[in-house]
Amino acid sequence: RGRGFESRRRHPARGEAEAQRARARLRRRFLRALAAARGRPARFWLRAGVRVDATFGAADREAAALLVEALRTPLGLQEAALLRGPDVLCFRFPLP
Amino acid sequence: MNEWQKKSPLEWETYLNKLVKVAVIEKHECEGWVLTVDPVSASIVLATFPENESVSISVVLGHAVEEVEILKEGDDEMEQRLSCIFAPEESKAYSP
């Protein structure tokens, strides 16, 4: 995927190296955030005004799917479920 | 792909450690200090401090971001506070 990976036109080599460093710093922090979320109770806001509570599990590489546990639905408790990334607007979890 | 997802890592990096208001699709809104932006999914990770000691982390998925407005620049103290949020894991993982 080319997202955020375009080369800089003016100073291709220097620009690309800087962009690569920035990309690595940002991604490293994001992966730490996901690691911190693991096993924590989280609230998910989905499309069409749906809001659900679950325990955060993991996300795949592009956050195209989120694995959750103990998902509380009107039909009962789902031990494990996948939320489709495009259906999720945001999620929130507390850190102690 | 929305405007936010089209930004480069260097552009996303300019939002770090700033207080922002994120306009989310379906009329949602999220406010907090920017911890990172995932360069792969363009998801924004925000921190808020509901009580003095506790931290709440919000993740807005990149596809759901409509607009990001900077409300306030972070000072050195805030930058330090934000960098410490995931720091214990960091030192554990990398200590010899």
Side-chain angles (χ1 to χ4, degrees):
Chain A
R1 298 286 280 266
R3 195 177 298 164
F5 288 69
E6 79 281 8
S7 63
R8 318 261 87 199
R9 288 235 173 88
R10 280 185 207 153
H11 304 285
R14 199 178 69 195
E16 186 49 31
E18 279 171 17
Q20 176 60 27
R21 273 194 293 275
R23 193 181 299 135
R25 277 194 296 269
L26 293 167
R27 180 71 174 167
R28 198 182 307 125
R29 273 192 169 201
F30 182 69
L31 293 177
R32 284 203 188 109
L34 289 185
R38 183 158 175 73
R40 294 196 192 281
R43 175 159 290 177
F44 297 81
W45 283 263
L46 311 180
R47 280 186 183 271
V50 178
R51 200 181 73 186
V52 291
D53 291 327
T55 303
F56 187 89
D60 70 354
R61 196 180 70 90
E62 294 202 21
L66 304 177
L67 171 70
V68 298
E69 287 152 13
L71 174 68
R72 284 182 280 288
T73 77
L75 291 176
L77 193 74
Q78 291 291 321
E79 218 171 278
L82 278 180
L83 302 178
R84 281 170 18 99
D87 292 339
V88 180
L89 307 184
C90 62
F91 62 93
R92 185 172 298 164
F93 60 93
L95 284 180
Chain B
M1 201 184 286
N2 62 38
E3 289 305 311
W4 176 255
Q5 289 171 300
K6 285 183 199 155
K7 287 190 185 293
S8 73
L10 291 169
E11 287 173 299
W12 286 320
E13 218 176 29
T14 61
Y15 289 84
L16 290 192
N17 306 316
K18 290 178 184 166
L19 181 66
V20 299
K21 183 154 78 177
V22 182
V24 185
I25 56 171
E26 299 196 358
K27 294 179 182 160
H28 284 265
E29 211 175 72
C30 243
E31 206 177 294
W33 295 89
V34 179
L35 279 167
T36 191
V37 179
D38 175 32
V40 179
S41 64
S43 302
I44 312 176
V45 183
L46 303 171
T48 52
F49 304 96
E51 288 153 47
N52 215 16
E53 291 299 304
S54 67
V55 185
S56 176
I57 306 291
S58 303
V59 181
V60 183
L61 274 78
H63 72 83
V65 175
E66 263 179 358
E67 208 189 333
V68 183
E69 185 194 344
I70 295 174
L71 302 176
K72 202 175 166 184
E73 304 278 331
D75 55 13
D76 288 349
E77 195 188 330
M78 181 52 73
E79 201 170 314
Q80 183 65 27
R81 194 174 183 189
L82 293 170
S83 71
C84 286
I85 290 180
F86 302 126
E89 287 296 325
E90 203 172 317
S91 44
K92 231 185 282 167
Y94 291 107
S95 64

